[in-house]
C-alpha cells in the first residue's frame, strides 16, 4: 500500500492502470474525473454473496454462490431455440455443478481445466445447473471481488460495465485509500464514533458485513453534512465579523407607537418573534433571520413591525413579494396600517411603468420614499436606495438565491428578514438556510378552526356544488381553482375561463369573477378588490392565488384536477382559507393518489412537507440548483436528521473556536476548493 498524496488524488483517472482516454471519457459521464472521484464513487447497493453453497446442496430456483475446480468445458447450442450456450463443469470434492452462460460463447477461452472458479447466479430447475450472473477465476494473490462476499453495485454507464467500475474502484482503493487526507478532526470522530477515512473507503467498497458498510456510509454522510455546515458557519461568521450593520434601537416609545397601529392583539409566537427581531436590530451585525410559520400564522404583522422599526429610525425599508397580487395586497395592508402617519410609501410592481416608474425610482434614490413595497421589480438594476436599512422578502421559497442577494445588495449591509410559508422539514431548513437565524411562529391567531378537507369522487360533484351554494347563502365566499387559463392547450383539463362560464350558470344568483395571470395588472387588482370587499362571491382562478392572498371571509375552496399539484402547492392553496372565524372547507376533484390521501389527512404544514420530501425526494422539492440545496451522495435528509444536527453543532463549534480552521487544514482546503477533491459534493 502506497500513501497517495492529495496531488495524486487530483490527477485525471487516466493516470490509472487500465484506463485509457476512451474509458476516461466514459467515466467522466459518471462524474468520475479524478482519481479521487473514483474513490468517492460509492456503490448504491450490495449483492450479498457471502454464503457459499456446497455443490451437492444446490436447490433448484435459488440464488447461489458456488466455488469449484473446472473439470470440463463445452460449448454448443440449446436443443430447441438453438441459442449459443457455454457449459463449464466444476467440482468441489463432494459434488458437481454445471455453470451455464447463454449467448456468451466467447467466454470459452477464459477457462482452463483445473482453474478455481467462483460464481454467483441462480440454480435452474435442471439439477446441478447454475445460470451464471457473475464469476471470476481465482488464484494466488487474486481475491474474488465480483462473485463472492458483499459485492458492491455501482452506478454504471454505456461502455463501462459495473464489473469494470468495480475492478477499477477496487484497485484504486487498494493502492490509494491509505493516502486520502482526513477532513474530519480526530476529536470529532472520536466523540461521534465515526470511522476514519481510510477504513471508511475500504468498508464502503468492500465491506465484511452490512454493519461495516453502514458505519462507512454514516461517516461519509456526516462528512457531507459537516462540510456544508462548516461552510455555512464561516459564511455566518463573515457576516457577524463585518459589524457594519446599522443599529436600529427600538425604544419603548417606538415599540408602543408601532403596536398601537396593529388592529389586533399579537399571539405569543408573534410577540416572541418580534422580541428576537428587536434584539437583532439593536445588535451590531446585520440581522439575517428566517421567519418560518405555517400558512395563516400571521407573519405579515411581524414583518410590519420590523419595517416600521427601520422606517421609524429614519432609514429606508423594502418589502419584496413574488406575485403582483400579493405585493398589491401588502401595499394595501400597509396603507391601512399607516393611514395618517408620516411614512412615505411607494409601490413598484411590473405594472408600474413610464413616468410613474421614473418618478418612483428618483424618489427612492433621493430618500423621499421610506417604505418601498413591490415584486421582483424592486431588484431591477436602476432601483437605488439612499439608505436602505432593512429588507423583507415574503414567500422567499419563490425566489432564487440570486434574487434574494440582489435585494440585500441594494443597501450597505441592510438587515434582512426572509419569510417562508412553506414550512420545510428542520433538516432541510438547516442545509438550505443554515446561515440564518430561524424563528418559528408555531401558534395560529385565536379563533381559527382546522380546514375540513374532502376528496370527492366523480359522482359527488353536484352535491358539493349545492353545499357551496348553501354556504354562499350564509354569506361566505369561495375560490374555484383550475390548472389552466383557457382551452388553448389541447389537454383534457378544465380551464378557468371555461369553468367561469359554467359556474356563472350554476351560481346565477351570485357574483362570479375570473382571475388569471394573463390579465392586465389593473384588471387583476380590481377583481381582487371586488372579491376582498365581498362584492364578488365566487372567484374562479388559476394558481395565481397560490401564495399570500388573505381574504378571511372566503372559507371555501374547490381544487379541480387536484392530481396536477404538488403537496406543498396544495397546502399553500388551502392556506387561502381557514383564515377567519368561519368553518372552512377544501374540496378536491380529480384523481386520487397517496399524495391526495396525505393531504386530506393533515393540516400540518410540517407533516405535509416531510411527506413531500419522502414522496418526491429533496431534488424535486424545488429546483435544486436555484435553491442552493447541495446534492448528497450518502446523506439522507430525513433518516439522517440526527447526524445532521450533530454535524451542525460540531461545525459551528469548530468555526467559532478556530475561525481560520488552522487546526483543520484538510477541511479548510476542501472548503476552499468548494468541496472535497474526489467527492461530488459541492458546497454552495
Ligand atoms: P401568513 O403567515 O400566511 O402570511 P398573514 O400574515 O396573512 O399570514 O395573516 C393571516 C390572517 O390572520 C390575516 O387576516 C391577519 O390579519 C390575521 N392575523 C394575524 N395575526 C393575528 C392576530 N394576532 N390576531 C388576529 N388575527 C391575526
Ligand atoms: Mg403571508
Amino acid at each position: 500500500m502506497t500513501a497517495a498524496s492529495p496531488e495524486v488524488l487530483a490527477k485525471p483517472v487516466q493516470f490509472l492502470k487500465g484506463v485509457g482516454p476512451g474509458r476516461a471519457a466514459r467515466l467522466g459521464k459518471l462524474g468520475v474525473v479524478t482519481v479521487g472521484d473514483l474513490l468517492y464513487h460509492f456503490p448504491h447497493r450490495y449483492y450479498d454473496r457471502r454464503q457459499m453453497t456446497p455443490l451437492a446442496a444446490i436447490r433448484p430456483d435459488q440464488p447461489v454462490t458456488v466455488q469449484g475446480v473446472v473439470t470440463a468445458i463445452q460449448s454448443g447450442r440449446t436443443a430447441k431455440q438453438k441459442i449459443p450456450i457455454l457449459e463449464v463443469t466444476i467440482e468441489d470434492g463432494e459434488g458437481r455443478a454445471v455453470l451455464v452462460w447463454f449467448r456468451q460463447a466467447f467466454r470459452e477461452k477464459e477457462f482452463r481445466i483445473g482453474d478455481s472458479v467462483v460464481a454467483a447466479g441462480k440454480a435452474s430447475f435442471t439439477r446441478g445447473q447454475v445460470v451464471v450472473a457473475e464469476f471470476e477465476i481465482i488464484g494466488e494473490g487474486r481475491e474474488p471481488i465480483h462473485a463472492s462476499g458483499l459485492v458492491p453495485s455501482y452506478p454504471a454507464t454505456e461502455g463501462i460495465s459495473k464489473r469494470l467500475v468495480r475492478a477499477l474502484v477496487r484497485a484504486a482503493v487498494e493502492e490509494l485509500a491509505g493516502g486520502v487526507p482526513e477532513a474530519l478532526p480526530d476529536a470529532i470522530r472520536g466523540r461521534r464514533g465515526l470511522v476514519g477515512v481510510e477504513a471508511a473507503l475500504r468498508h464502503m467498497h468492500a465491506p465484511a458485513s452490512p454493519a461495516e458498510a453502514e458505519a462507512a456510509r454514516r461517516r461519509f454522510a456526516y462528512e457531507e453534512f459537516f462540510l456544508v455546515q462548516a461552510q455555512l458557519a464561516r459564511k455566518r461568521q463573515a457576516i457577524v465579523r463585518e459589524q457594519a450593520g446599522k443599529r436600529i434601537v427600538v425604544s419603548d416609545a417606538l415599540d408602543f407607537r408601532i403596536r398601537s397601529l396593529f388592529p389586533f392583539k399579537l399571539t405569543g409566537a408573534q410577540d416572541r418573534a418580534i422580541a428576537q427581531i428587536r434584539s437583532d436590530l439593536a445588535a451590531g451585525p446585520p440581522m439575517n433571520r428566517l421567519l418560518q410559520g405555517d400558512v395563516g400564522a400571521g407573519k405579515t404583522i411581524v414583518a410590519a413591525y420590523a419595517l416600521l422599526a427601520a422606517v421609524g429610525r429614519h432609514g429606508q425599508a423594502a418589502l419584496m413579494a413574488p406575485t403582483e397580487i400579493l405585493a398589491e395586497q401588502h401595499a394595501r395592508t400597509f396603507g391601512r396600517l399607516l393611514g395618517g402617519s408620516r411614512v412615505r410609501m411607494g409601490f413598484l410592481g411590473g405594472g408600474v411603468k413610464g413616468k410613474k416608474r421614473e418618478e418612483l425610482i428618483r424618489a427612492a434614490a433621493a430618500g423621499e420614499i421610506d417604505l418601498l413595497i413591490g415584486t421582483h421589480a424592486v431588484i431591477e438594476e436602476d432601483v437605488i436606495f439612499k439608505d436602505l436599512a432593512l429588507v423583507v422578502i415574503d414567500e422567499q421559497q419563490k425566489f432564487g438565491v440570486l434574487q434574494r442577494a440582489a435585494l440585500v445588495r441594494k443597501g450597505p449591509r441592510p438587515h434582512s428578514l426572509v419569510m417562508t410559508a412553506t414550512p420545510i422539514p428542520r433538516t432541510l431548513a438547516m442545509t438550505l438556510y443554515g446561515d440564518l437565524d430561524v424563528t418559528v411562529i408555531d401558534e395560529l391567531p385565536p379563533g381559527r378552526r382546522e380546514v375540513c378537507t374532502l376528496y370527492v369522487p366523480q359522482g359527488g360533484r353536484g352535491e358539493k356544488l349545492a353545499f357551496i351554494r348553501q354556504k354562499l347563502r350564509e354569506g361566505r365566499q369561495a375560490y374555484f381553482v383550475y390548472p389552466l387559463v383557457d382551452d388553448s392547450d389541447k389537454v383534457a383539463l378544465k380551464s378557468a375561463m371555461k369553468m367561469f362560464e359554467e359556474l356563472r350558470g350554476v351560481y346565477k344568483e351570485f357574483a362570479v369573477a375570473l382571475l388569471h395571470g394573463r390579465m392586465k395588472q389593473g384588471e387583476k387588482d380590481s377583481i381582487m378588490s371586488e372579491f376582498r370587499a365581498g362584492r364578488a362571491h365566487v372567484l374562479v382562478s388559476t394558481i395565481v392565488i397560490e401564495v399570500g392572498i388573505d381574504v378571511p371571509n372566503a372559507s371555501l375552496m374547490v381544487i379541480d384536477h387536484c392530481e396536477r399539484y404538488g403537496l406543498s402547492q396544495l397546502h399553500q392553496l388551502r392556506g387561502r382559507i381557514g383564515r377567519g372565524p368561519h368553518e372552512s372547507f377544501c374540496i378536491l376533484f380529480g384523481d386520487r393518489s397517496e399524495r391526495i390521501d396525505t393531504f386530506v389527512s393533515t393540516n400540518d404544514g410540517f407533516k405535509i412537507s416531510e411527506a413531500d420530501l419522502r414522496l418526491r425526494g429533496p431534488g424535486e422539492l424545488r429546483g435544486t440548483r436555484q435553491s442552493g440545496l447541495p446534492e448528497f451522495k450518502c446523506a439522507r435528509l430525513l433518516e439522517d436528521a440526527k447526524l445532521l444536527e450533530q454535524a451542525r453543532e460540531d461545525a459551528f463549534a469548530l468555526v467559532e473556536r478556530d475561525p481560520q480552521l488552522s487546526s483543520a487544514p484538510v477541511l479548510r482546503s476542501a472548503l476552499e476548493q468548494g468541496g472535497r477533491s474526489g467527492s461530488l459534493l459541492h458546497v454552495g
Side-chain angles (χ1 to χ4, degrees):
M1 185 205 338
T2 50
S5 62
E7 293 83 73
V8 171
L9 298 177
K11 285 203 170 162
V13 267
Q14 222 175 303
F15 169 77
L16 293 173
K17 226 185 326 175
V19 184
R23 279 181 178 172
R26 274 172 242 136
L27 284 168
K29 284 201 196 135
L30 295 172
V32 176
V33 177
T34 65
V35 172
D37 292 336
L38 194 60
L39 292 177
Y40 276 74
H41 187 59
F42 293 140
H44 45 50
R45 64 194 199 94
Y46 301 91
Y47 301 111
D48 190 349
R49 293 172 181 158
R50 285 176 295 170
Q51 178 83 37
M52 278 293 174
T53 304
L55 300 182
I58 296 173
R59 299 267 164 282
D61 202 32
Q62 294 291 314
V64 288
T65 302
V66 295
Q67 180 168 7
V69 174
V70 177
T71 55
I73 305 164
Q74 191 188 2
S75 65
R77 286 181 180 269
T78 57
K80 274 192 209 134
Q81 288 167 302
K82 306 287 177 221
I83 297 169
I85 181 173
L86 171 65
E87 295 178 319
V88 173
T89 307
I90 57 170
E91 294 181 18
D92 65 1
E94 279 160 36
R96 139 188 325 192
V98 180
L99 305 179
V100 175
W101 288 260
F102 295 104
R103 295 195 175 84
Q104 296 179 48
F106 64 88
R107 292 210 183 280
E108 184 173 350
K109 58 182 182 306
E110 296 180 26
F111 297 93
R112 301 269 174 289
I113 302 289
D115 279 350
S116 207
V117 176
V118 185
K122 196 168 178 194
S124 63
F125 285 100
T126 310
R127 235 190 96 72
Q129 207 185 52
V130 175
V131 179
V132 177
E134 198 103 58
F135 77 98
E136 58 200 305
I137 297 165
I138 52 180
E140 312 88 72
R142 260 197 293 163
E143 292 242 337
I145 64 169
H146 302 294
S148 106
L150 276 177
V151 178
S153 168
Y154 294 95
T157 183
E158 215 185 299
I160 296 264
S161 66
K162 280 181 199 273
R163 197 178 164 97
L164 178 61
V165 174
R166 193 182 291 137
L168 288 173
V169 172
R170 178 63 72 93
V173 169
E174 291 300 329
E175 206 177 320
L176 305 168
V180 175
E182 176 61 80
L184 301 178
D186 288 353
I188 289 177
R189 278 198 293 111
R191 186 169 50 216
R192 302 301 185 193
L194 300 167
V195 193
V197 68
E198 178 184 355
L201 283 169
R202 291 178 184 281
H203 296 168
M204 201 70 184
H205 295 294
S209 65
E212 214 173 70
E214 172 54 20
R217 187 202 67 82
R218 206 172 148 265
R219 180 239 140 83
F220 288 116
Y222 179 94
E223 179 177 317
E224 289 175 334
F225 285 147
F226 188 80
L227 282 171
V228 172
Q229 294 303 321
Q231 187 85 333
L232 291 169
R234 294 186 98 198
K235 212 158 123 190
R236 241 219 94 97
Q237 230 190 24
I239 294 170
V240 172
R241 244 180 301 133
E242 276 182 49
Q243 291 279 327
K246 206 182 186 55
R247 272 171 203 266
I248 299 177
V249 179
V250 181
S251 65
D252 288 344
L254 178 57
D255 177 73
F256 181 80
R257 250 194 299 145
I258 296 173
R259 285 172 187 269
S260 65
L261 296 173
F262 296 164
F264 38 67
K265 191 177 169 315
L266 299 184
T267 63
Q270 286 169 325
D271 269 327
R272 281 191 295 279
I274 283 175
Q276 275 174 334
I277 289 171
R278 202 172 155 186
S279 100
D280 287 352
L281 294 177
M287 171 167 76
N288 197 24
R289 189 169 286 279
L290 171 73
L291 184 62
Q292 190 176 296
D294 211 345
V295 281
K299 294 181 289 295
T300 314
I301 207 77
V302 175
Y305 185 97
L307 290 163
L308 296 178
V311 169
R313 303 311 304 178
H314 312 295
Q316 288 177 296
L319 167 62
M320 178 164 78
T323 66
E324 295 272 347
I325 299 177
L326 181 54
E328 172 69 27
Q329 175 181 287
H330 283 323
R332 199 181 282 265
T333 304
F334 278 84
R336 219 170 35 227
L337 286 179
L338 295 173
S341 86
R342 275 166 302 153
V343 176
R344 296 162 298 179
M345 207 178 85
F347 176 77
L348 182 56
V352 181
K353 295 199 177 94
K355 278 258 149 21
K356 217 166 151 193
R357 180 170 188 277
E358 268 168 41
E359 168 50 23
L360 198 67
I361 285 182
R362 189 205 56 76
E368 290 165 21
I369 284 180
D370 304 309
L371 175 57
L372 185 65
I373 296 178
T375 59
H376 45 267
V378 304
I379 56 175
E380 271 165 38
E381 200 84 15
D382 58 345
V383 179
I384 296 165
F385 293 85
K386 179 157 183 256
D387 179 24
L388 185 61
L390 177 109
V391 304
V392 173
I393 296 168
D394 194 15
E395 307 287 353
Q396 69 84 33
Q397 78 282 357
K398 291 276 170 187
F399 291 102
V401 179
L402 297 177
Q403 290 173 304
R404 275 176 255 153
L407 184 57
V408 171
R409 268 203 308 277
K410 296 218 177 263
R413 307 210 62 76
H415 296 281
S416 86
L417 179 67
V418 300
M419 310 203 285
T420 178
T422 309
I424 55 176
R426 227 179 104 68
T427 48
L428 199 59
M430 273 159 66
T431 49
L432 274 176
Y433 315 122
D435 59 329
L436 305 181
D437 295 312
V438 179
T439 297
V440 178
I441 300 193
D442 52 4
E443 184 184 347
L444 294 177
R448 290 287 173 78
R449 293 204 255 167
E450 286 229 319
V451 174
C452 173
T453 307
L454 311 162
Y455 169 79
V456 180
Q458 264 300 320
R461 247 187 137 84
E463 187 198 323
K464 288 299 171 261
L465 293 183
F467 170 77
I468 288 169
R469 162 171 285 116
Q470 183 52 42
K471 291 286 165 190
L472 291 171
R473 281 197 185 128
E474 290 167 18
R476 303 288 76 76
Q477 290 165 281
Y479 297 99
F480 280 75
V481 185
Y482 296 94
L484 301 177
V485 176
D486 60 31
D487 291 338
S488 61
D489 318 68
K490 289 192 190 60
V491 221
L493 291 174
K494 297 191 189 78
S495 72
M497 281 188 185
K498 190 160 146 227
M499 291 311 291
F500 169 61
E501 294 304 332
E502 192 175 319
L503 288 164
R504 267 212 294 203
V506 174
Y507 298 118
K508 280 203 188 68
E509 68 273 44
F510 296 105
V512 179
L514 172 67
L515 182 76
H516 59 74
R518 286 196 218 148
M519 289 173 153
K520 287 232 168 56
Q521 190 51 38
E523 234 178 313
K524 280 192 261 182
D525 291 346
S526 70
I527 299 282
M528 269 322 290
S529 55
E530 287 295 289
F531 190 64
R532 211 166 260 136
R535 287 190 295 271
H537 308 108
V538 173
L539 187 66
V540 180
S541 168
T542 58
I543 194 80
V544 290
I545 58 149
E546 179 187 356
V547 290
I549 300 304
D550 182 47
V551 181
N553 189 52
S555 62
L556 305 156
M557 175 172 281
V558 170
I559 304 175
D560 210 331
H561 291 297
C562 58
E563 73 280 0
R564 300 279 293 188
Y565 305 96
L567 258 181
S568 299
Q569 225 173 6
L570 287 170
H571 185 64
Q572 282 280 341
L573 278 171
R574 178 170 60 185
R576 298 314 107 219
I577 57 172
R579 296 184 152 243
H582 314 290
E583 193 172 15
S584 295
F585 297 88
C586 180
I587 296 168
L588 307 171
F589 296 140
D591 298 336
R592 188 171 170 175
S593 63
E594 187 183 349
R595 188 166 75 218
I596 299 302
D597 290 343
T598 306
F599 180 65
V600 170
S601 73
T602 180
N603 269 288
D604 181 332
F606 285 94
K607 288 208 184 108
I608 298 252
S609 64
E610 285 218 347
D612 207 17
L613 190 60
R614 215 182 320 271
L615 291 173
R616 295 201 296 167
E620 291 281 324
L621 209 58
R622 62 208 55 191
T624 301
R625 213 145 291 201
Q626 87 148 12
S627 72
L629 183 65
E631 271 176 51
F632 295 121
K633 293 208 289 181
C634 293
R636 298 186 283 242
L637 280 172
L638 287 178
E639 296 85 339
D640 294 327
K642 185 84 194 288
L643 205 57
L644 171 55
E645 278 183 37
Q646 294 176 346
R648 179 172 173 81
E649 194 184 310
D650 296 344
F652 273 71
L654 176 66
V655 171
E656 167 95 331
R657 207 170 351 98
D658 177 10
Q660 297 312 317
L661 298 177
S662 29
S663 66
V666 178
L667 174 66
R668 191 182 59 208
S669 74
L671 291 176
E672 271 150 22
Q673 286 162 34
R676 181 191 226 308
S677 137
S679 124
L680 265 189
L681 178 70
H682 295 292
V683 184

